[in-house]
Amino acid sequence: MQNYPNELWKRDKHAGDGSDRLKPNATLHSPLSVVAELVSELSSALVDDPLIDELAFLPSAGPSDVFGESFPLGGIVTSTAVPGAFLLVRHKLAIAINALVPVYNYISAAHRRACNHQNENDGGLASPGIDPMTGLDTYRLLLLINGELNTAWNGLRRRMMQNFAGLGLKARRCVAICELRFAQVVISGNPKATACWVYRRWILKNLSVSPAKGVTGLQIEHVLANEITMVERATRFRRFNYAAWTHLRCCSQDFFAETKRLLPQALLANLTENLTSYKWRNLVDKCLIEYLRMLSDKLLSPECRTI
């Protein structure tokens, strides 16, 4: 095994297999320059791979710890400042749990500088949330670790409204796809992040889905099917997920309101089958029961017509 610097690594005596594997020692006493380099590497990895679609927090993000001895040789991005602090491979990002505190504290300091810089310019900056000293996008980096940070989500909303108000339909859709993918990454790491689900709905309403923006009913149907998949995945990882079921209820209501149609029969049959499979596992999941009640009310509503 590779010998790592003692001040940045420690042995895990509680590994599930009884081994004492090495993992990054993410203490607040690590040199600031090392943490700064680690954050810079993580930020560059996010920029270089805009197709990241999954996030996980692991005891160690070293390639051998994640994949074992037969890990892939190519296409791996990892930290050279603190080996094993994060790992990016095939659009999947893993961050070591012990690296979270020093990284989050460093990004928080950068975020304060960004806010001060914004205030000094009377809020007139085109890209709020960018640290003037390091160039880090503090909003996205903070949200990777803390998906419930409303301040950062609100900052992203302001940035979207400032920079993309005059964009055409095609450009707005491209922006929406990128933002929805980022929200998907955050949700994969924190399936109960209510603020992230709310931001996802905001993107769908303001940048993506609306007949007034030239979006057809078929495209809206495709978006709803994608949101159903997202919710099903999130509720598998976290039971009693009020945020996810509330998101699906709101998306379904928006679908009914925009199209005046019931869900397509094939989609409704698949959804009902999946929901009932969850119901016997989560008999006291009140938010699931509320969603089923909403569906039954819409099925009987004279305002909606079948396809």
PDB file of all heavy atoms in Angstrom, residues 81-103:
ATOM      1  N   ALA A  81      -3.572  16.269  -3.791  1.00  0.00           N
ATOM      2  CA  ALA A  81      -3.251  16.975  -2.541  1.00  0.00           C
ATOM      3  C   ALA A  81      -3.503  16.073  -1.339  1.00  0.00           C
ATOM      4  O   ALA A  81      -2.678  15.995  -0.429  1.00  0.00           O
ATOM      5  CB  ALA A  81      -4.082  18.251  -2.433  1.00  0.00           C
ATOM      6  N   VAL A  82      -4.640  15.396  -1.322  1.00  0.00           N
ATOM      7  CA  VAL A  82      -4.997  14.462  -0.259  1.00  0.00           C
ATOM      8  C   VAL A  82      -5.523  13.196  -0.931  1.00  0.00           C
ATOM      9  O   VAL A  82      -6.722  13.080  -1.192  1.00  0.00           O
ATOM     10  CB  VAL A  82      -6.066  15.041   0.695  1.00  0.00           C
ATOM     11  CG1 VAL A  82      -6.326  14.076   1.845  1.00  0.00           C
ATOM     12  CG2 VAL A  82      -5.654  16.396   1.228  1.00  0.00           C
ATOM     13  N   PRO A  83      -4.676  12.249  -1.259  1.00  0.00           N
ATOM     14  CA  PRO A  83      -5.131  11.039  -1.960  1.00  0.00           C
ATOM     15  C   PRO A  83      -6.269  10.344  -1.209  1.00  0.00           C
ATOM     16  O   PRO A  83      -6.212  10.155   0.002  1.00  0.00           O
ATOM     17  CB  PRO A  83      -3.867  10.170  -2.004  1.00  0.00           C
ATOM     18  CG  PRO A  83      -2.734  11.144  -1.917  1.00  0.00           C
ATOM     19  CD  PRO A  83      -3.224  12.246  -1.029  1.00  0.00           C
ATOM     20  N   GLY A  84      -7.308   9.997  -1.948  1.00  0.00           N
ATOM     21  CA  GLY A  84      -8.449   9.333  -1.343  1.00  0.00           C
ATOM     22  C   GLY A  84      -9.506  10.268  -0.812  1.00  0.00           C
ATOM     23  O   GLY A  84     -10.514   9.818  -0.266  1.00  0.00           O
ATOM     24  N   ALA A  85      -9.321  11.594  -0.980  1.00  0.00           N
ATOM     25  CA  ALA A  85     -10.314  12.544  -0.477  1.00  0.00           C
ATOM     26  C   ALA A  85     -11.561  12.565  -1.355  1.00  0.00           C
ATOM     27  O   ALA A  85     -12.670  12.753  -0.856  1.00  0.00           O
ATOM     28  CB  ALA A  85      -9.712  13.937  -0.377  1.00  0.00           C
ATOM     29  N   PHE A  86     -11.392  12.395  -2.663  1.00  0.00           N
ATOM     30  CA  PHE A  86     -12.542  12.272  -3.548  1.00  0.00           C
ATOM     31  C   PHE A  86     -12.151  11.437  -4.760  1.00  0.00           C
ATOM     32  O   PHE A  86     -10.966  11.247  -5.063  1.00  0.00           O
ATOM     33  CB  PHE A  86     -13.097  13.642  -3.985  1.00  0.00           C
ATOM     34  CG  PHE A  86     -12.264  14.359  -5.013  1.00  0.00           C
ATOM     35  CD1 PHE A  86     -12.446  14.134  -6.374  1.00  0.00           C
ATOM     36  CD2 PHE A  86     -11.295  15.276  -4.629  1.00  0.00           C
ATOM     37  CE1 PHE A  86     -11.688  14.798  -7.320  1.00  0.00           C
ATOM     38  CE2 PHE A  86     -10.523  15.945  -5.572  1.00  0.00           C
ATOM     39  CZ  PHE A  86     -10.726  15.702  -6.923  1.00  0.00           C
ATOM     40  N   LEU A  87     -13.180  10.942  -5.441  1.00  0.00           N
ATOM     41  CA  LEU A  87     -12.973  10.081  -6.597  1.00  0.00           C
ATOM     42  C   LEU A  87     -14.079  10.350  -7.601  1.00  0.00           C
ATOM     43  O   LEU A  87     -15.260  10.373  -7.247  1.00  0.00           O
ATOM     44  CB  LEU A  87     -12.992   8.605  -6.190  1.00  0.00           C
ATOM     45  CG  LEU A  87     -12.843   7.570  -7.311  1.00  0.00           C
ATOM     46  CD1 LEU A  87     -11.430   7.600  -7.879  1.00  0.00           C
ATOM     47  CD2 LEU A  87     -13.168   6.168  -6.789  1.00  0.00           C
ATOM     48  N   LEU A  88     -13.691  10.570  -8.844  1.00  0.00           N
ATOM     49  CA  LEU A  88     -14.649  10.792  -9.924  1.00  0.00           C
ATOM     50  C   LEU A  88     -14.349   9.801 -11.038  1.00  0.00           C
ATOM     51  O   LEU A  88     -13.245   9.793 -11.595  1.00  0.00           O
ATOM     52  CB  LEU A  88     -14.557  12.223 -10.451  1.00  0.00           C
ATOM     53  CG  LEU A  88     -15.423  12.569 -11.667  1.00  0.00           C
ATOM     54  CD1 LEU A  88     -16.900  12.356 -11.355  1.00  0.00           C
ATOM     55  CD2 LEU A  88     -15.184  14.015 -12.107  1.00  0.00           C
ATOM     56  N   VAL A  89     -15.318   8.950 -11.334  1.00  0.00           N
ATOM     57  CA  VAL A  89     -15.148   7.959 -12.385  1.00  0.00           C
ATOM     58  C   VAL A  89     -16.504   7.670 -13.007  1.00  0.00           C
ATOM     59  O   VAL A  89     -17.497   7.478 -12.302  1.00  0.00           O
ATOM     60  CB  VAL A  89     -14.506   6.670 -11.829  1.00  0.00           C
ATOM     61  CG1 VAL A  89     -15.348   6.079 -10.715  1.00  0.00           C
ATOM     62  CG2 VAL A  89     -14.287   5.645 -12.932  1.00  0.00           C
ATOM     63  N   ARG A  90     -16.549   7.703 -14.345  1.00  0.00           N
ATOM     64  CA  ARG A  90     -17.778   7.402 -15.092  1.00  0.00           C
ATOM     65  C   ARG A  90     -18.951   8.255 -14.615  1.00  0.00           C
ATOM     66  O   ARG A  90     -20.065   7.770 -14.411  1.00  0.00           O
ATOM     67  CB  ARG A  90     -18.116   5.920 -14.992  1.00  0.00           C
ATOM     68  CG  ARG A  90     -17.043   5.010 -15.597  1.00  0.00           C
ATOM     69  CD  ARG A  90     -17.319   3.555 -15.319  1.00  0.00           C
ATOM     70  NE  ARG A  90     -16.229   2.706 -15.822  1.00  0.00           N
ATOM     71  CZ  ARG A  90     -16.111   1.415 -15.554  1.00  0.00           C
ATOM     72  NH1 ARG A  90     -17.001   0.815 -14.769  1.00  0.00           N
ATOM     73  NH2 ARG A  90     -15.099   0.707 -16.039  1.00  0.00           N
ATOM     74  N   HIS A  91     -18.698   9.509 -14.405  1.00  0.00           N
ATOM     75  CA  HIS A  91     -19.714  10.499 -14.002  1.00  0.00           C
ATOM     76  C   HIS A  91     -20.280  10.228 -12.609  1.00  0.00           C
ATOM     77  O   HIS A  91     -21.356  10.738 -12.273  1.00  0.00           O
ATOM     78  CB  HIS A  91     -20.864  10.547 -15.016  1.00  0.00           C
ATOM     79  CG  HIS A  91     -20.435  10.666 -16.440  1.00  0.00           C
ATOM     80  ND1 HIS A  91     -19.541  11.630 -16.870  1.00  0.00           N
ATOM     81  CD2 HIS A  91     -20.753   9.921 -17.537  1.00  0.00           C
ATOM     82  CE1 HIS A  91     -19.338  11.491 -18.163  1.00  0.00           C
ATOM     83  NE2 HIS A  91     -20.049  10.453 -18.597  1.00  0.00           N
ATOM     84  N   LYS A  92     -19.582   9.441 -11.800  1.00  0.00           N
ATOM     85  CA  LYS A  92     -19.980   9.191 -10.416  1.00  0.00           C
ATOM     86  C   LYS A  92     -18.938   9.811  -9.492  1.00  0.00           C
ATOM     87  O   LYS A  92     -17.730   9.578  -9.663  1.00  0.00           O
ATOM     88  CB  LYS A  92     -20.091   7.690 -10.127  1.00  0.00           C
ATOM     89  CG  LYS A  92     -20.842   6.887 -11.182  1.00  0.00           C
ATOM     90  CD  LYS A  92     -22.284   7.307 -11.317  1.00  0.00           C
ATOM     91  CE  LYS A  92     -22.986   6.446 -12.364  1.00  0.00           C
ATOM     92  NZ  LYS A  92     -24.375   6.886 -12.621  1.00  0.00           N
ATOM     93  N   LEU A  93     -19.389  10.593  -8.531  1.00  0.00           N
ATOM     94  CA  LEU A  93     -18.496  11.301  -7.622  1.00  0.00           C
ATOM     95  C   LEU A  93     -18.628  10.750  -6.215  1.00  0.00           C
ATOM     96  O   LEU A  93     -19.740  10.634  -5.688  1.00  0.00           O
ATOM     97  CB  LEU A  93     -18.814  12.801  -7.623  1.00  0.00           C
ATOM     98  CG  LEU A  93     -18.026  13.675  -6.658  1.00  0.00           C
ATOM     99  CD1 LEU A  93     -16.540  13.676  -7.005  1.00  0.00           C
ATOM    100  CD2 LEU A  93     -18.572  15.108  -6.660  1.00  0.00           C
ATOM    101  N   ALA A  94     -17.493  10.415  -5.607  1.00  0.00           N
ATOM    102  CA  ALA A  94     -17.455   9.977  -4.207  1.00  0.00           C
ATOM    103  C   ALA A  94     -16.542  10.923  -3.433  1.00  0.00           C
ATOM    104  O   ALA A  94     -15.458  11.274  -3.910  1.00  0.00           O
ATOM    105  CB  ALA A  94     -16.945   8.544  -4.103  1.00  0.00           C
ATOM    106  N   ILE A  95     -16.996  11.337  -2.258  1.00  0.00           N
ATOM    107  CA  ILE A  95     -16.212  12.224  -1.401  1.00  0.00           C
ATOM    108  C   ILE A  95     -16.038  11.541  -0.054  1.00  0.00           C
ATOM    109  O   ILE A  95     -16.999  11.012   0.508  1.00  0.00           O
ATOM    110  CB  ILE A  95     -16.901  13.588  -1.211  1.00  0.00           C
ATOM    111  CG1 ILE A  95     -17.146  14.262  -2.569  1.00  0.00           C
ATOM    112  CG2 ILE A  95     -16.069  14.498  -0.321  1.00  0.00           C
ATOM    113  CD1 ILE A  95     -17.889  15.577  -2.464  1.00  0.00           C
ATOM    114  N   ALA A  96     -14.809  11.552   0.464  1.00  0.00           N
ATOM    115  CA  ALA A  96     -14.532  10.927   1.753  1.00  0.00           C
ATOM    116  C   ALA A  96     -15.191  11.726   2.874  1.00  0.00           C
ATOM    117  O   ALA A  96     -15.140  12.962   2.904  1.00  0.00           O
ATOM    118  CB  ALA A  96     -13.032  10.838   1.983  1.00  0.00           C
ATOM    119  N   ILE A  97     -15.827  11.028   3.794  1.00  0.00           N
ATOM    120  CA  ILE A  97     -16.556  11.684   4.885  1.00  0.00           C
ATOM    121  C   ILE A  97     -15.626  12.559   5.718  1.00  0.00           C
ATOM    122  O   ILE A  97     -15.993  13.666   6.123  1.00  0.00           O
ATOM    123  CB  ILE A  97     -17.240  10.617   5.763  1.00  0.00           C
ATOM    124  CG1 ILE A  97     -18.333   9.895   4.952  1.00  0.00           C
ATOM    125  CG2 ILE A  97     -17.841  11.242   7.017  1.00  0.00           C
ATOM    126  CD1 ILE A  97     -18.971   8.743   5.675  1.00  0.00           C
ATOM    127  N   ASN A  98     -14.416  12.072   5.961  1.00  0.00           N
ATOM    128  CA  ASN A  98     -13.503  12.840   6.787  1.00  0.00           C
ATOM    129  C   ASN A  98     -13.011  14.114   6.124  1.00  0.00           C
ATOM    130  O   ASN A  98     -12.423  14.976   6.785  1.00  0.00           O
ATOM    131  CB  ASN A  98     -12.289  11.970   7.174  1.00  0.00           C
ATOM    132  CG  ASN A  98     -12.560  11.113   8.384  1.00  0.00           C
ATOM    133  OD1 ASN A  98     -13.707  10.785   8.653  1.00  0.00           O
ATOM    134  ND2 ASN A  98     -11.523  10.753   9.109  1.00  0.00           N
ATOM    135  N   ALA A  99     -13.209  14.247   4.831  1.00  0.00           N
ATOM    136  CA  ALA A  99     -12.794  15.468   4.134  1.00  0.00           C
ATOM    137  C   ALA A  99     -13.876  16.541   4.149  1.00  0.00           C
ATOM    138  O   ALA A  99     -13.609  17.688   3.768  1.00  0.00           O
ATOM    139  CB  ALA A  99     -12.426  15.133   2.689  1.00  0.00           C
ATOM    140  N   LEU A 100     -15.083  16.205   4.599  1.00  0.00           N
ATOM    141  CA  LEU A 100     -16.207  17.125   4.474  1.00  0.00           C
ATOM    142  C   LEU A 100     -16.039  18.380   5.331  1.00  0.00           C
ATOM    143  O   LEU A 100     -16.294  19.493   4.866  1.00  0.00           O
ATOM    144  CB  LEU A 100     -17.511  16.412   4.838  1.00  0.00           C
ATOM    145  CG  LEU A 100     -17.929  15.265   3.919  1.00  0.00           C
ATOM    146  CD1 LEU A 100     -19.223  14.637   4.416  1.00  0.00           C
ATOM    147  CD2 LEU A 100     -18.088  15.741   2.489  1.00  0.00           C
ATOM    148  N   VAL A 101     -15.612  18.220   6.581  1.00  0.00           N
ATOM    149  CA  VAL A 101     -15.555  19.370   7.494  1.00  0.00           C
ATOM    150  C   VAL A 101     -14.536  20.410   7.043  1.00  0.00           C
ATOM    151  O   VAL A 101     -14.879  21.594   6.909  1.00  0.00           O
ATOM    152  CB  VAL A 101     -15.287  18.906   8.937  1.00  0.00           C
ATOM    153  CG1 VAL A 101     -15.026  20.098   9.843  1.00  0.00           C
ATOM    154  CG2 VAL A 101     -16.468  18.094   9.458  1.00  0.00           C
ATOM    155  N   PRO A 102     -13.279  20.048   6.815  1.00  0.00           N
ATOM    156  CA  PRO A 102     -12.329  21.086   6.380  1.00  0.00           C
ATOM    157  C   PRO A 102     -12.692  21.685   5.028  1.00  0.00           C
ATOM    158  O   PRO A 102     -12.521  22.888   4.821  1.00  0.00           O
ATOM    159  CB  PRO A 102     -10.987  20.352   6.330  1.00  0.00           C
ATOM    160  CG  PRO A 102     -11.322  18.926   6.237  1.00  0.00           C
ATOM    161  CD  PRO A 102     -12.609  18.744   6.970  1.00  0.00           C
ATOM    162  N   VAL A 103     -13.213  20.859   4.109  1.00  0.00           N
ATOM    163  CA  VAL A 103     -13.616  21.386   2.801  1.00  0.00           C
ATOM    164  C   VAL A 103     -14.779  22.362   2.954  1.00  0.00           C
ATOM    165  O   VAL A 103     -14.783  23.450   2.373  1.00  0.00           O
ATOM    166  CB  VAL A 103     -13.985  20.225   1.856  1.00  0.00           C
ATOM    167  CG1 VAL A 103     -14.717  20.742   0.625  1.00  0.00           C
ATOM    168  CG2 VAL A 103     -12.734  19.467   1.438  1.00  0.00           C
TER     169      VAL A 103
END
